Amino acid sequence: MFKPHVTVACVVQSQGQFLIVEETVNGKVTWNQPAGHLEADETLFSAAKRELYEETGIHAEPQSFLKLHQWQAPDGTPFLRFAFVIDLDQQPATAPQDSDIDGCVWASAEEILSSTQLRSPLVAESIRCYQQGARYPLDLLANFNLPN
């Protein structure tokens, strides 16, 4: 049976810049959106909020749904990645709670799109989707028989 990994990501934008988390993977510093795996008995929304807080220290709610990407990593691992948008008026201070996160940076779309240190190509693709105005109401994704 095919069982892709289900992940969530938050594209956080403020004042024309995007929040990026830095983490070291196999000895190399990489950039990613605040993102991670969906856990048991967790909704997509609660997973997105949890990952945002764990990786940045920021408490915020997803405001819209950006995109669902089906992707296969170079090692063959299949993923379903649910991306959400959070637009903030100000750039809050960050304080990662997850010891795997080295730090957070605010970067322009151009810096992200031209970076050679992206964790996956979905980081850039999510920025392109954001720039194209992709926004869908959160109620497009429903919880059935799960807590909110």
Side-chain angles (χ1 to χ4, degrees):
M1 177 185 281
F2 182 67
K3 294 184 181 180
H5 292 249
V6 177
T7 60
V8 296
C10 295
V11 175
V12 182
Q13 182 280 145
S14 180
Q15 302 172 342
Q17 294 190 311
F18 296 89
L19 185 59
I20 293 295
V21 297
E22 293 182 316
E23 53 192 327
T24 302
V25 178
N26 299 324
K28 179 183 175 194
V29 175
T30 63
W31 280 11
N32 198 1
Q33 277 101 13
H37 285 85
L38 177 69
E39 295 181 1
D41 298 322
E42 189 174 48
T43 68
L44 293 167
F45 307 119
S46 61
K49 292 187 316 188
R50 176 186 51 76
E51 287 293 346
L52 178 67
Y53 176 72
E54 287 178 2
E55 296 195 355
T56 70
I58 296 172
H59 290 283
E61 299 274 337
Q63 297 160 339
S64 58
F65 178 58
L66 181 68
K67 198 81 161 194
L68 168 61
H69 287 102
Q70 183 175 353
W71 180 64
Q72 184 169 309
D75 68 1
T77 304
F79 286 90
L80 293 176
R81 186 180 197 247
F82 292 81
F84 297 92
V85 171
I86 300 173
D87 286 309
L88 302 173
D89 293 333
Q90 301 295 320
Q91 294 178 356
T94 58
Q97 305 299 300
D98 183 336
S99 61
D100 289 338
I101 303 301
D102 300 331
C104 302
V105 297
W106 290 94
S108 69
E110 295 75 27
E111 290 172 299
I112 297 166
L113 295 173
S114 66
S115 176
T116 59
Q117 61 192 67
L118 301 183
R119 174 91 188 251
S120 85
L122 289 180
V123 177
E125 183 61 20
S126 294
I127 297 300
R128 284 190 284 274
C129 290
Y130 181 96
Q131 289 178 316
Q132 293 165 0
R135 305 286 187 287
Y136 301 95
L138 291 175
D139 64 6
L140 182 68
L141 303 171
N143 302 320
F144 180 78
N145 205 26
L146 284 172
N148 291 327

